[in-house]
Amino acid sequence: MSAAPERRHELLATAAEVFAAQGYDATTVRKIADAAGILAGSLYYHFDSKESMLDEILSGFLNELWGRYDAVLAAGHGPTETIEALVTESFREIDRHRAAVAIYQKESRQLREQPRFGYLDDSQQRFERAWLRTLERGVAAGVFRADLDIRLTYRFVRDTVWVAASWYRPGGQHSPEEIARQYLSMVLEGVALRARHDPVTQ
Amino acid sequence: MSAAPERRHELLATAAEVFAAQGYDATTVRKIADAAGILAGSLYYHFDSKESMLDEILSGFLNELWGRYDAVLAAGHGPTETIEALVTESFREIDRHRAAVAIYQKESRQLREQPRFGYLDDSQQRFERAWLRTLERGVAAGVFRADLDIRLTYRFVRDTVWVAASWYRPGGQHSPEEIARQYLSMVLEGVALRARHDPVTQ
Amino acid sequence: MSAAPERRHELLATAAEVFAAQGYDATTVRKIADAAGILAGSLYYHFDSKESMLDEILSGFLNELWGRYDAVLAAGHGPTETIEALVTESFREIDRHRAAVAIYQKESRQLREQPRFGYLDDSQQRFERAWLRTLERGVAAGVFRADLDIRLTYRFVRDTVWVAASWYRPGGQHSPEEIARQYLSMVLEGVALRARHDPVTQ
Amino acid sequence: MSAAPERRHELLATAAEVFAAQGYDATTVRKIADAAGILAGSLYYHFDSKESMLDEILSGFLNELWGRYDAVLAAGHGPTETIEALVTESFREIDRHRAAVAIYQKESRQLREQPRFGYLDDSQQRFERAWLRTLERGVAAGVFRADLDIRLTYRFVRDTVWVAASWYRPGGQHSPEEIARQYLSMVLEGVALRARHDPVTQ
DNA sequence: CATGAATGAGAGTTCATTCAT
DNA sequence: AATGAATGAACTCTCATTCAT
């Protein structure tokens, strides 16, 4: 039932690609098997079920992501640097595991309700706490605006980053770091020209 | 096949609610019928198929949306006002047809590929052209930043607005206009404090 | 439930047309209703069921047919004249009730097995007896060949006549009597030229 | 989708039997599966659809039939011998594939209208041309009567042969060759005793 | 007489999953 | 490791029929 871990990995990558392209429900195990060049039944030598493939893809992605996030959060940066680092790590993760991120984006709301995928909720809540705390620190430190509803701000930043997974294509003209830089610039400083606000400082 | 338009409307609203909550694929016609208090087969007196319900929901939403957008675009506003109006209309539409917007957000990428839903593509392209043109006018007029990749900016604003449909609940603490105002403020002016704009505090 | 007999008749004629064109199973009551310009449910004011329409069509046809056949059989003709009269009446019936005959041809084998349509079997057996007796009389009288299996001959003649309902179109270039004449000529005298049978002309 | 050809063959034979006995429309895939001793869904491992089973049955039958017909037509026989050979091959085919022939007889008129079954039309037309040409040759050669409408004659012979599939049971008291012989005798020489036509030759 | 809306049974089909080989 | 064949539950959809209006 387990077998060589490399084969699992290949099959999982294939499955993730198909899930991301067609949606989890619309993906039949036969499509995955076709893409892998084997028959549908043969997948069950490697995995318990279609759902367990999804599980492995998502938990693998979240484990890796939290490894990076935890490093950032433990580094003791100031709020702006923390946010910059979190956003940059997020875009890097999108670059590395685009399929998994796209699946997460699309399916997590439904999945969350099943006990098996309860960890999606946990992750979501840790994520929210980390962001809210960082934003609050930024407001307290006078580097973020105080006039905004902080939950709205959180959602704004969160969505803004992750939705990118739905259109991002690795190997495109912008590196993840470059995209992160521009996104951060928009998020932090806005799209409007600042010049007119303070011509003197320019 | 057509029948009294009121009943259709009720059933369509019910279907939209279920589609939005569970996803189109995961929604069985039985669930829709249960939610409407009739039997699954009875839906087929009113509609040709599950797909045609989806079609009617999405095209109805887009038609209404474009009615508003066209009015805004024809009004001859400057770029900032145009963007403010478009964003505000978008949040109003989310308020009025949350379910339809959520379905659109979640399913349109897959649907687009079917000929029947080709209008989703058309709409998407009109949308993109309208935004890009407005952003370019703003850059030319010196009210928007010129240092950003304009397509990135477009995606940023577009996603930022529509993803809200996934968490927005009508009748919540913020009116659509209030949410639009805060989103616009974040998008245009950024999340960072403009402290440096105030020469005194520097 | 009964109502004006003329309306029944119209509807029955419409139903027969559709049954003949599409087959009984493939005909939905909705198609019949469409052809009659009313809604499907409305047919049930006139008839108990789809099956009872079929029943009325077939029994009406057989009653009329047997009225003619009985007259022929009671007339005391010789075997050749009897066969000529039966075949001619058959083609006349095809001319008058083409749809009913076509339905009978196509559906009676299956229908026969249901108790409700047991009369199809009875009719079939009376038919067979009448034909076999006439053929036997002809053999005995020395006007029909004695070297043929009489049941094969019966089937040959029977099929030969009734299958015509599947291609016959009333108002075509041949009258039913003309078609009967030619069929009889083929059946009785054969397709081969008799010339060679006459040693003198050889 | 294709699988071991033997299993397909068995299942196809089973399906043909049921189609012939109950009619295509009245045959449910569950009935076929029951007859084959498997579950309905399992049929879809071997075939795409109920319709594709029908298709395979009919096209298989026509392919085989035309193999024989073409051999006959290419042999350069005279008209009488050609007709004798065609009729004999037809009865042999009825003997070999009774179910397929019965299905063809009953369903082809409706099926013909669907593009997928257009080959039924093609076959029908080739068949008609071959027969008409042979009959014309016979008339020209003075072996067939010239006083008959040749299309009527064609239909007469055609129907006469194929309808036999509806009552023929393989393994009965007459071999296909014997049935062919008697049919040919009736068709060519008629049912009436020739004696009276030419008393001198007796 | 006819409509409009619904019922409920059953149709063809799909699909995750199992298992002997 | 993989195949080939099957299972069984669920799905979308159809249709004869009912009935209040």
Side-chain angles (χ1 to χ4, degrees):
Chain A
M1 191 155 287
S2 50
E6 344 140 15
R7 190 71 177 116
R8 280 180 84 78
H9 228 86
E10 281 172 38
L11 292 171
L12 235 27
T14 304
E17 230 40 75
V18 187
F19 285 150
Q22 325 219 359
Y24 175 72
D25 282 322
T27 297
T28 67
V29 296
R30 182 135 168 257
K31 281 179 192 163
I32 300 174
D34 283 355
I38 57 177
L39 289 183
S42 308
L43 285 171
Y44 288 81
Y45 178 80
H46 302 277
F47 305 98
D48 285 343
S49 65
K50 179 183 168 189
E51 198 181 72
S52 79
M53 293 185 229
L54 178 62
D55 194 351
E56 209 160 320
I57 290 165
L58 290 178
S59 58
F61 149 65
L62 283 180
N63 284 339
E64 180 168 323
L65 182 66
W66 277 105
R68 318 263 174 179
Y69 276 6
D70 285 338
V72 167
L73 295 170
H77 297 310
T80 302
E81 291 74 19
T82 299
I83 285 201
E84 285 171 351
L86 288 176
V87 166
T88 302
E89 285 304 345
S90 300
F91 277 104
R92 284 193 185 126
E93 193 67 17
I94 291 173
D95 189 53
R96 270 188 303 259
H97 296 317
R98 203 202 85 266
V101 176
I103 297 166
Y104 178 83
Q105 269 300 105
K106 211 198 198 180
E107 318 285 353
S108 69
R109 196 171 318 269
Q110 245 88 262
L111 258 21
R112 243 200 273 297
E113 280 149 39
Q114 298 176 235
R116 171 169 204 169
F117 291 96
Y119 63 85
L120 294 174
D121 240 351
D122 301 343
S123 171
Q124 164 78 18
Q125 281 171 29
R126 279 178 72 194
F127 195 70
E128 181 165 349
R129 273 195 303 274
W131 274 94
L132 288 182
R133 212 176 315 122
T134 307
L135 289 171
E136 280 159 3
R137 280 170 57 213
V139 169
V143 295
F144 297 153
R145 291 168 56 184
D147 62 328
L148 299 170
D149 178 315
I150 207 162
R151 296 190 73 89
L152 266 187
T153 309
Y154 157 63
R155 283 174 180 142
F156 171 76
V157 182
R158 174 196 64 185
D159 296 343
T160 267
V161 171
W162 290 113
V163 188
S166 67
W167 54 259
Y168 181 74
R169 291 292 163 273
Q173 56 177 344
H174 299 299
S175 70
E177 287 78 11
E178 169 62 15
I179 294 183
R181 224 188 38 73
Q182 291 221 26
Y183 258 66
L184 281 164
S185 173
M186 286 187 277
V187 166
L188 294 173
E189 313 193 24
V191 161
L193 229 205
R194 309 216 135 198
R196 56 176 175 160
H197 292 280
D198 186 6
V200 174
T201 60
Q202 288 237 314
Chain B
M1 190 155 290
S2 50
E6 343 141 15
R7 189 71 177 116
R8 280 179 86 77
H9 231 85
E10 283 170 37
L11 293 172
L12 234 29
T14 304
E17 226 46 68
V18 187
F19 285 152
Q22 326 220 355
Y24 175 71
D25 282 321
T27 297
T28 70
V29 295
R30 244 189 196 74
K31 282 179 191 165
I32 300 174
D34 282 355
I38 59 178
L39 289 181
S42 306
L43 285 171
Y44 290 82
Y45 177 77
H46 302 278
F47 305 98
D48 285 342
S49 64
K50 180 184 165 187
E51 196 181 77
S52 81
M53 292 186 228
L54 178 62
D55 194 351
E56 207 160 320
I57 289 165
L58 289 178
S59 59
F61 150 64
L62 282 180
N63 284 339
E64 180 168 323
L65 182 67
W66 276 104
R68 318 265 174 177
Y69 277 5
D70 285 337
V72 167
L73 294 170
H77 298 310
T80 303
E81 290 75 19
T82 298
I83 284 198
E84 284 170 353
L86 289 176
V87 167
T88 303
E89 286 301 348
S90 300
F91 277 103
R92 284 194 184 123
E93 194 67 17
I94 291 173
D95 189 53
R96 270 189 302 258
H97 296 317
R98 202 201 88 266
V101 176
I103 297 166
Y104 177 84
Q105 271 299 107
K106 210 200 202 175
E107 319 284 354
S108 69
R109 194 171 320 267
Q110 245 87 262
L111 259 19
R112 242 199 271 297
E113 278 150 41
Q114 298 177 235
R116 172 171 204 170
F117 291 96
Y119 62 85
L120 294 176
D121 241 350
D122 301 341
S123 172
Q124 164 79 17
Q125 282 171 28
R126 278 179 72 193
F127 195 70
E128 181 166 348
R129 274 197 301 274
W131 274 93
L132 288 182
R133 214 176 313 124
T134 307
L135 290 172
E136 282 159 2
R137 281 170 56 212
V139 170
V143 296
F144 298 151
R145 293 167 56 183
D147 61 328
L148 299 170
D149 179 314
I150 208 162
R151 295 190 75 89
L152 268 188
T153 309
Y154 156 64
R155 285 176 179 140
F156 172 75
V157 180
R158 174 195 66 185
D159 295 344
T160 266
V161 169
W162 289 113
V163 189
S166 66
W167 53 259
Y168 181 74
R169 292 292 167 269
Q173 57 177 345
H174 298 301
S175 70
E177 286 80 9
E178 170 61 15
I179 294 182
R181 221 186 41 70
Q182 292 220 26
Y183 258 67
L184 281 163
S185 172
M186 288 187 277
V187 166
L188 294 173
E189 313 193 24
V191 160
L193 230 206
R194 307 216 142 198
R196 54 178 174 155
H197 293 276
D198 181 355
V200 174
T201 60
Q202 290 221 310
Chain C
M1 189 155 290
S2 50
E6 344 141 15
R7 190 71 177 114
R8 280 181 83 77
H9 227 86
E10 282 171 36
L11 292 172
L12 234 28
T14 303
E17 227 45 70
V18 187
F19 285 151
Q22 325 219 357
Y24 175 72
D25 282 322
T27 298
T28 68
V29 298
R30 182 133 169 257
K31 281 180 190 161
I32 301 173
D34 282 355
I38 58 178
L39 289 185
S42 308
L43 284 172
Y44 288 80
Y45 178 81
H46 301 278
F47 304 98
D48 284 344
S49 65
K50 179 183 167 188
E51 197 181 71
S52 79
M53 292 186 230
L54 177 63
D55 194 351
E56 209 160 320
I57 289 165
L58 290 178
S59 58
F61 150 65
L62 283 180
N63 284 340
E64 181 169 322
L65 183 66
W66 276 105
R68 317 267 174 177
Y69 276 5
D70 285 338
V72 166
L73 295 171
H77 298 309
T80 302
E81 291 75 19
T82 299
I83 285 198
E84 286 171 352
L86 288 177
V87 167
T88 303
E89 286 303 346
S90 299
F91 277 104
R92 284 195 184 123
E93 193 67 17
I94 290 173
D95 189 53
R96 271 188 302 259
H97 295 318
R98 202 201 86 266
V101 177
I103 297 166
Y104 177 82
Q105 271 297 109
K106 210 198 197 178
E107 318 286 352
S108 68
R109 195 170 318 269
Q110 245 89 262
L111 258 21
R112 242 200 272 299
E113 279 151 39
Q114 299 176 235
R116 172 171 204 170
F117 290 96
Y119 63 84
L120 294 175
D121 240 352
D122 301 343
S123 172
Q124 164 78 15
Q125 283 173 27
R126 278 179 71 194
F127 196 70
E128 181 166 348
R129 274 195 304 274
W131 273 93
L132 288 182
R133 214 175 314 123
T134 307
L135 289 172
E136 281 159 3
R137 281 170 55 211
V139 169
V143 295
F144 298 151
R145 292 167 55 183
D147 61 329
L148 301 170
D149 180 313
I150 208 161
R151 296 191 74 90
L152 266 188
T153 310
Y154 156 64
R155 283 175 181 142
F156 171 75
V157 182
R158 174 196 64 185
D159 294 344
T160 267
V161 170
W162 290 114
V163 189
S166 68
W167 52 259
Y168 181 74
R169 290 291 164 271
Q173 57 177 344
H174 298 301
S175 71
E177 286 80 9
E178 170 61 15
I179 294 182
R181 221 187 41 70
Q182 291 219 29
Y183 259 66
L184 281 164
S185 172
M186 287 187 277
V187 167
L188 294 173
E189 314 191 23
V191 161
L193 230 205
R194 305 216 141 201
R196 59 178 171 160
H197 292 277
D198 182 356
V200 174
T201 59
Q202 289 213 313
Chain D
M1 192 156 288
S2 49
E6 343 141 15
R7 190 68 178 117
R8 281 179 84 79
H9 231 84
E10 284 170 35
L11 292 172
L12 235 27
T14 304
E17 230 42 71
V18 187
F19 285 152
Q22 325 221 354
Y24 175 72
D25 282 322
T27 298
T28 68
V29 295
R30 271 165 183 89
K31 282 180 192 162
I32 300 174
D34 282 354
I38 57 177
L39 289 181
S42 307
L43 286 171
Y44 289 82
Y45 177 76
H46 301 277
F47 305 99
D48 284 343
S49 65
K50 179 184 166 187
E51 197 181 76
S52 80
M53 292 186 228
L54 178 62
D55 194 350
E56 209 160 319
I57 289 166
L58 290 177
S59 58
F61 148 65
L62 283 180
N63 284 340
E64 180 169 322
L65 182 66
W66 276 105
R68 318 263 174 178
Y69 277 6
D70 285 337
V72 167
L73 295 170
H77 298 309
T80 303
E81 290 75 18
T82 299
I83 286 200
E84 285 170 353
L86 289 177
V87 167
T88 302
E89 286 302 347
S90 300
F91 278 103
R92 284 193 184 124
E93 192 68 17
I94 291 173
D95 189 52
R96 272 188 302 259
H97 295 317
R98 202 201 86 264
V101 177
I103 297 166
Y104 177 82
Q105 271 299 107
K106 209 199 203 175
E107 318 286 354
S108 70
R109 196 171 318 269
Q110 246 87 264
L111 258 21
R112 244 198 271 299
E113 279 150 42
Q114 299 176 236
R116 170 170 204 170
F117 291 96
Y119 63 85
L120 294 176
D121 240 351
D122 302 341
S123 171
Q124 164 79 18
Q125 282 171 28
R126 277 179 72 193
F127 196 71
E128 181 165 349
R129 274 196 303 273
W131 274 94
L132 288 182
R133 214 175 314 124
T134 308
L135 290 172
E136 282 159 3
R137 280 170 56 211
V139 169
V143 295
F144 298 152
R145 293 168 53 183
D147 62 327
L148 299 170
D149 180 315
I150 207 162
R151 296 190 75 88
L152 266 187
T153 309
Y154 157 63
R155 282 175 181 142
F156 171 76
V157 181
R158 174 196 64 185
D159 294 344
T160 264
V161 170
W162 290 114
V163 189
S166 67
W167 53 259
Y168 181 74
R169 290 292 166 271
Q173 56 178 342
H174 299 299
S175 71
E177 286 81 8
E178 170 61 17
I179 294 183
R181 225 188 36 73
Q182 292 219 29
Y183 258 67
L184 280 165
S185 173
M186 288 187 276
V187 166
L188 293 174
E189 314 192 23
V191 160
L193 231 205
R194 307 215 139 201
R196 59 181 173 157
H197 291 280
D198 186 4
V200 172
T201 59
Q202 287 237 313

